[in-house]
Amino acid sequence: MADVILSVKSLKKYFEPHQGFAESIIGGGQKKKIKAVDDVSFDIKRGEIFGLIGESGSGKTTTGKLAMKLLEFKIRDVLEEPLIIHKIKASVEERNTMIVRALEEVKLTPPDDFMGRWPHMLSGGQRQRVATARTLILNPMMLVADEPVSMIDLSTRAEVLHMMKEVQKKLGLSYLYITHDLSTARYFTDRIAVMYLGRIVEIGLADDIIDNPLHPYTQALIEAVPEPESGKVKIIKELPIYGEIPSPADIPNGCRFHTRCPYAIEACKTEPEPELMLDGEEHYHACRRAHEVKEEKQKKSRVERS
């Protein structure tokens, strides 16, 4: 445990849903809690980049939000606020020195050109750099980055991720990197955890998860990634699974993925939900049919090639 910087054990976050008057009468006044995060556990090691992957509604953002909150002010105020909140006993001049150093760290130079601006005056990439500087100013051991490059263009996205990796290596930081983008996760992370409906269904080394996915949900996410070929990059693929993610207020019995899984059998619906099982070095999955499914897909692939 000496190298573990963040240990999350059986994390849960349930929300009470809003109910109108008519709904309260029809439902007898009973409310089903929304299980946004339902018994999630993982560790992040010192100096590691840890990815948290899943669809909208999977619970990944709520997991990150439990440890993160951002507010808007002028750029200088954005960077000074953490120093004030954490009662860093420094003069205005000393705080200015720390602000300048943080801006230089993320390559927003010269710093004086940026401190007096409002966030809306910056590009998407520059705002992401300010957000990174805001966290670095306290010399933290770990950062939570929730979709840090999702709203910026591809070229800037690569620049920001490269900058974040440089800072991580230089300062020995750990990241909790939350995203739905498997392509950036593979490039940026060391390990990946895939979430579905509030639980982790697969976790392992990034390359192993991408190259050798064992859970049908992970396989579906990877199959839906656009092909890096001319004319096909912007084609949006549909997930090769059925329907939509169920409500976290009404989680299915058995394996919670069985309602959408093309490989589900009766046991997946009636038997207890499988726990994470070790399969190879640091590779865990929660699918009782993982190897049967893999064999079925390999046979299908061989038939298609012949």
Side-chain angles (χ1 to χ4, degrees):
M1 293 293 290
D3 292 332
V4 174
I5 196 170
L6 175 68
S7 184
V8 175
K9 301 297 183 187
S10 301
L11 180 66
K12 296 183 179 181
K13 183 62 178 179
Y14 296 174
F15 294 101
E16 293 286 349
H18 173 74
Q19 247 186 347
F21 177 74
E23 292 174 311
S24 65
I25 296 298
I26 295 172
Q30 296 183 345
K31 298 180 180 179
K32 284 189 175 181
K33 291 185 177 180
I34 297 172
K35 299 179 180 180
V37 178
D38 190 22
D39 197 14
V40 165
S41 298
F42 59 86
D43 294 331
I44 298 181
K45 301 172 186 176
R46 185 180 300 278
E48 177 182 46
I49 301 175
F50 185 84
L52 199 57
I53 312 299
E55 289 178 280
S56 296
S58 63
K60 62 187 188 301
T61 294
T62 302
T63 300
K65 278 186 176 180
L66 294 175
M68 176 176 138
K69 184 178 181 182
L70 298 176
L71 297 174
E72 292 188 356
F73 301 102
K74 277 188 176 180
I75 302 306
R76 187 192 178 284
D77 299 326
V78 167
L79 299 177
E80 185 180 35
E81 186 190 35
L83 301 175
I84 296 172
I85 289 175
H86 290 274
K87 298 179 181 178
I88 302 297
K89 294 182 178 180
S91 65
V92 173
E93 290 75 19
E94 289 172 319
R95 289 202 293 270
N96 278 339
T97 299
M98 297 174 73
I99 291 168
V100 166
R101 187 184 306 124
L103 288 170
E104 289 175 339
E105 198 75 64
V106 297
K107 296 181 172 57
L108 287 178
T109 55
D112 288 342
D113 286 355
F114 291 91
M115 286 195 288
R117 299 187 194 180
W118 295 92
H120 73 269
M121 299 170 68
L122 305 183
S123 68
Q126 289 172 333
R127 286 197 294 270
Q128 295 295 355
R129 290 172 186 268
V130 169
T132 304
R134 187 176 191 268
T135 58
L136 294 177
I137 202 165
L138 290 174
N139 193 29
M141 293 184 290
M142 190 190 80
L143 305 184
V144 177
D146 188 353
E147 300 283 12
V149 294
S150 63
M151 299 301 290
I152 54 181
D153 61 70
L154 288 175
S155 59
T156 307
R157 190 178 305 176
E159 289 178 8
V160 171
L161 288 176
H162 182 70
M163 177 272 295
M164 291 177 68
K165 265 206 165 184
E166 282 188 329
V167 169
Q168 182 256 341
K169 290 176 181 177
K170 181 179 179 181
L171 302 181
L173 295 173
S174 298
Y175 287 148
L176 172 56
Y177 179 67
I178 301 170
T179 186
H180 69 282
D181 188 344
L182 285 169
S183 58
T184 63
R186 179 170 196 165
Y187 160 75
F188 190 66
T189 66
D190 300 311
R191 287 193 300 143
I192 288 175
V194 180
M195 284 189 73
Y196 182 78
L197 202 56
R199 296 195 79 175
I200 290 175
V201 296
E202 189 161 4
I203 183 171
L205 298 176
D207 285 343
D208 199 15
I209 292 292
I210 301 298
D211 293 334
N212 184 35
L214 295 174
H215 196 283
Y217 179 61
T218 310
Q219 293 170 3
L221 291 179
I222 292 171
E223 289 175 20
V225 174
E227 298 177 27
E229 298 179 16
S230 178
K232 294 185 177 181
V233 175
K234 294 185 178 181
I235 294 177
I236 299 175
K237 297 183 179 180
E238 293 184 1
L239 288 176
I241 49 181
Y242 309 122
E244 297 181 358
I245 192 168
S247 167
D250 192 19
I251 293 175
N253 293 325
C255 172
R256 61 187 63 199
F257 184 59
H258 84 260
T259 59
R260 304 177 71 197
C261 181
Y263 307 103
I265 58 176
E266 190 63 24
C268 301
K269 306 173 186 178
T270 58
E271 294 185 11
E273 184 169 20
E275 298 293 330
L276 286 170
M277 299 170 278
L278 179 62
D279 196 313
E281 185 181 357
E282 296 188 55
H283 194 158
Y284 294 81
H285 68 86
C287 177
R288 58 172 50 86
R289 298 200 66 219
H291 288 284
E292 296 173 44
V293 169
K294 186 175 181 179
E295 290 176 6
E296 287 180 25
K297 291 173 74 70
Q298 288 174 342
K299 287 179 182 178
K300 182 180 179 181
S301 179
R302 285 195 294 269
V303 170
E304 288 176 350
R305 285 199 301 269
S306 62

